[in-house]
Amino acid sequence: MSQVPHITLNNGVTMPQLGFGVWQVPDAEATAAVTTALEAGYRSIDTAALYANEAGTGKALAASGLPREELFVTTKVWNNDQGYDRTLRAFDTSLAKLGLDHVDLYLIHWPQPARGTYTDTWRALEKIAADGRARAIGVSNFHASHLERLFAEGTVVPAVNQIELHPQLPQAALRALHAEHGIATEAWSPLGQGKGLLDDPVIGAIARRLERTPAQVVLRWHLQLGNVVIPKSVTPSRIRENLDVFGFELSAEDMAALAALDDGTRHGPDPDTFG
Ligand code: NDP
């Protein structure tokens, strides 16, 4: 049985606080990776049209035999498909590839502010939610200014903002804004893409003391901050390791030591200019 706690989104839907990300997993390998994750106890899967593995992910969901209501499936509309009509069509394509009649969470992948289409795209997401085809809708990579525009022009407050977030980029200001508006913070690249961060000596010392791995310490930091996390791995032992983060706690001192690693490192592009 999975021990993953659920958080309640601003529309009452609940979401597992820890899920499985599949960016950069080729479609042919996604079925095996998602199957391993589901067998380990993950119930939330984060994909996107861009990842080109919705079909492989869907196969694993179907083959698992798990009841649909136990699963939490997220996908995202890609930049080229922004705009009201295009987004509605893109959503149909994603559902068909996943082999589902609804998703649990549908996100705008990037705001692309220079294109000026994210408010029309958001109207399409509002329609998809109203039609019951996404149980919740949200955004990804939105800065405060992009969120403010949705608050002013939309009718639904996003349930989630999925943003790059790890100890080197803790996003304190955006997390505070989310809290003010009841938006859940979901951390992408929660392990800093496994690069460098997991070799940090401060994290290593905490991990040795707690007899845990550096990845487990970082995931625990996220969970204690209240973030939703979606670590990715194609390595079965790591898939299981990343889920085994509920039997220990970081002290306030440990939390502060991780917070001190903030150096503004961004592995992804700047949402103000990307796309
Ligand atoms: P993560 O921070 O999850 O790191 C993944 C990397 O860390 C992989 O190279 C993996 O290797 C390695 N790794 C995983 N677990 C461990 C472990 N226990 N010990 C050591 N190394 C480990 O990076 P991602 O960028 O993949 O982010 C996670 C998810 O977030 C994505 O899969 C995607 O779903 C989402 N995302 C969303 C974005 C957005 O714009 N909305 C952008 C980027 C990501 P290996 O697989 O070889 O085991």
Side-chain angles (χ1 to χ4, degrees):
M1 273 301 287
S2 170
Q3 306 163 279
V4 178
H6 282 60
I7 59 150
T8 302
L9 302 177
N10 61 15
N11 67 349
V13 167
T14 65
M15 172 177 193
Q17 202 186 350
L18 191 152
F20 185 65
V22 293
W23 179 43
Q24 293 178 316
V25 182
D27 200 40
E29 292 166 38
T31 309
V34 173
T35 297
T36 303
L38 294 172
E39 284 172 0
Y42 292 80
R43 292 294 176 266
S44 168
I45 309 293
D46 182 84
T47 183
L50 174 77
Y51 304 168
N53 57 21
E54 290 170 306
T57 297
K59 272 186 209 151
L61 299 174
S64 73
L66 289 164
R68 177 65 184 89
E69 61 274 16
E70 277 189 28
L71 299 169
F72 192 99
V73 181
T74 301
T75 193
K76 317 182 188 88
V77 58
W78 184 239
N79 295 349
N80 298 343
D81 287 319
Q82 280 208 20
Y84 188 80
D85 292 322
R86 292 182 71 102
T87 295
L88 292 178
R89 281 198 296 276
F91 181 72
D92 287 340
T93 303
S94 284
L95 274 192
K97 286 189 175 163
L98 285 162
L100 299 176
D101 64 2
H102 70 278
V103 295
D104 298 281
L105 181 62
Y106 196 45
L107 304 178
I108 302 179
H109 207 144
W110 290 88
Q112 304 184 96
R115 267 181 87 172
T117 48
Y118 68 77
T119 51
D120 285 343
T121 306
W122 187 245
R123 277 197 304 116
L125 266 64
E126 290 178 337
K127 160 106 177 103
I128 288 164
D131 291 345
R133 300 203 302 154
R135 294 174 66 232
I137 52 173
V139 294
S140 177
N141 298 303
F142 272 45
H143 280 332
S145 59
H146 315 135
L147 287 172
E148 303 282 1
R149 192 158 165 213
L150 283 195
F151 298 154
E153 297 181 30
T155 57
V156 175
V157 174
V160 169
N161 188 13
Q162 183 184 113
I163 53 173
E164 179 173 353
L165 200 173
H166 40 72
Q168 290 172 290
L169 188 70
Q171 301 265 26
L174 206 42
R175 281 191 287 117
L177 182 74
H178 293 166
E180 216 177 286
H181 292 271
I183 299 171
T185 301
E186 185 171 24
W188 66 252
S189 295
L191 302 173
Q193 302 188 345
K195 297 174 194 158
L197 180 67
L198 300 181
D199 300 322
D200 182 275
V202 171
I203 296 176
I206 296 171
R208 276 192 303 281
R209 197 184 75 241
L210 297 174
E211 300 183 347
R212 293 285 175 165
T213 67
Q216 289 174 322
V217 168
V218 172
L219 292 172
R220 193 65 225 170
W221 173 83
H222 282 285
L223 295 169
Q224 288 182 214
L225 279 184
N227 300 337
V228 175
V229 275
I230 44 171
K232 169 266 177 187
S233 177
V234 291
T235 313
S237 59
R238 289 175 173 173
I239 291 174
R240 290 188 285 272
E241 170 187 328
N242 294 344
L243 189 67
D244 182 17
V245 289
F246 298 100
F248 72 109
E249 290 241 352
L250 299 182
S251 66
E253 275 170 19
D254 294 336
M255 292 294 288
L258 268 84
L261 300 178
D262 179 3
D263 62 4
T265 297
R266 235 181 225 285
H267 296 289
D270 180 345
D272 265 328
T273 49
F274 182 62

